[in-house]
Amino acid sequence: MFKSIQTKIVTIFILVILSVVTVIGTFMTTNIVKLYNDEFSVMMEQVFTPALVSELEKSAENGSYDGIWDIISSYIGPLGIDTYRFYSILDAKTGNILCTSDETKSVNMEKSDNIILAMTGKTGNTVNTQKAYMDYAVPIGTDDDTRYIVYVKDTKDEINSITRNVLFILIEALLASVLISILLGFFFGRTITKPIRDLTKSTEHIASGKFDIVSNIKSNDEIGILSDTFNYMSSALQHTVNEMNSEKNKVETILQNMTDGILAFNLSGRLIHINPEAKRLIGRNFYDDLQFDTFFKEVGADISMGNIIYIKQTNKIERETVIGGKVIRFTFAPFNLENKISGIIVMVHDITNQQRLENARREFVANVSHELRTPLTTVKSYAETLMDMPPDDKDIQNRFLATIAAEADRMTRIVKDLLTLSRLDEGQYQMKPFERVNLSELVSDIVEKMFFAAKEKHQELSLSAKKTPVYVMTDRDKLEQVIINIVSNAIKYTHENGKIEISIEKVYKDAYIKVRDNGIGIPKENLPRIFERFYRVDNARSRETGGTGLGLAIAKQIMNQLGGNIVINSTYGEGTDVIISVPL
Ligand code: ADP
């Protein structure tokens, strides 16, 4: 009930009209009645003057009331006698009617207060508006000898009918007013509720994010001001929301495109954000109800929210774990909102490569130390033996000194190779300006140089080249160094009487030098690591042959810098193919 403002306004209008009409009605009726009473009283006073009373008394002295009757009858006009008002002459002793102007109304007439007062010799002129009639009683005669009472009575029927008419008019006016109030209330209500409804609609649009709908109420009253303020608020809000959205988009874009993974958890441990990189690194389905403690337990990182939030840590809190073959590092930090810890941000890094490099670095240092320690131990022990030896045993002394020299050479080679690699790594390995090199000629020279080394092992070293020479633009010395290394490996790792074939091909924009041997070959599992520094298939054999384990690594690096490549195919126990490609 009274849900709308319009109904409320209509109700208020009706209530106001009702109260106004009731007040007016009551006021009017009571005043009309009072006025009527007063007028009756004044009329009686004006008629029954002491002169008239003494005249009436005189006329009654003969013991009859006829004289009184005649005199009163001549006052019908001033007394206002009509159908509702009549007069009588009463016996002053008994109060009984002696004669009356209206027989019907006089039947069973009660002895009113005024009659009783007149019977005691006093004029009965008390007015009681509550009574259903008005009356006036005048005693005729002396105090001790009151014989008659002149009695005038008004039945109030006239005033009652007037009051009734007034009431009817008021009720009609009331009904008309109620109708008008309903119409006015509805109309006025509409002038208020319509703009409110419009504003409500606009507010709903704003709530659903449509800021372009404005309120267009044009008026100078409070509602007009409210509408203007609303439009201002709407545009200010739109501005703020736009700014917030653009900030949000910025952050979203940064998070989406970050190369680091990001996870965010709220204080109850629930996942509230995850970026694509984190999803990729962790590689699992993420659910909205994912919990911090459960998740990190699942991925094997020993940490709980309490560790981060409640234990004050000055250092970064980090955990590393292996997920899907990748080494993942989680870095945890609480984040604040309004100066209160509100959750935890977790950065996710794939440190597999970093770890691999770290391991390679450690391995490299260990390898270098190991490679140098072996010849150093030999040199030291030979030198000590020499010191303890009798000086005349020249033969053994020379043999020992030769070994020491060989080990020193070996160390020199290792250090030289390491320096070369280090320069290659740092890009300081000076290349000469590229020159036009006849590849067939270059390889043929190398075959000639290596001929004796092969001959020592009774190996057959052959070159099959096309008749037309193949030319490449390259650094001749560097390419020669690479080919020599590959051919000398072929000689080293091929048994006596083995065969080494070198061929030159030209395909499209590249020249290929293939060095094929039928030597010991390389097991399949060792092939992927063959270009690593100090990596050897058989350490003992390599050292025996004076190898440093750095040759292939250097060759690969040089070929990369020359814009070419080296590929090794090998079958263990059958032989090896090394293919060097050089851009023409
Ligand atoms: P090294 O100085 O030991 O020869 P390299 O880097 O030249 O070092 O070669 C690395 C390893 O590759 C060698 O120790 C050897 O085990 C293997 N290797 C290289 N070339 C051949 C080949 N032609 N036949 C068999 N194994 C080879």
Side-chain angles (χ1 to χ4, degrees), residues 279-313:
K279 281 188 188 163
R280 193 186 69 77
L281 290 176
I282 298 165
R284 98 197 259 298
N285 284 331
F286 281 90
Y287 309 104
D288 283 349
D289 56 354
L290 187 84
Q291 285 291 317
F292 184 95
D293 290 349
T294 334
F295 171 66
F296 285 103
K297 200 171 163 194
E298 189 185 296
V299 296
D302 170 31
I303 193 151
S304 71
M305 280 193 82
N307 292 148
I308 304 157
I309 294 170
Y310 303 112
I311 303 166
K312 290 218 164 144
Q313 301 244 13

Side-chain angles (χ1 to χ4, degrees), residues 173-216:
L174 182 76
L175 287 177
S177 311
V178 166
L179 201 72
I180 292 168
S181 331
I182 290 174
L183 290 173
L184 281 181
F186 189 77
F187 174 74
F188 283 123
R190 232 177 95 79
T191 57
I192 296 171
T193 53
K194 193 180 172 295
I196 291 178
R197 262 202 294 272
D198 289 352
L199 275 178
T200 312
K201 234 180 243 163
S202 307
T203 318
E204 279 165 6
H205 274 111
I206 286 178
S208 64
K210 290 178 199 151
F211 291 98
D212 48 329
I213 313 281
V214 291
S215 155
N216 46 14

Side-chain angles (χ1 to χ4, degrees), residues 489-490 492-493 517 521-522 530 535-537 542 547-549 551-552 576:
N489 271 354
K492 272 196 289 186
Y493 301 109
D517 66 57
I522 303 162
I530 209 77
Y535 189 82
R536 296 152 169 141
V537 174
S542 168
T548 59
L552 280 181
T576 304

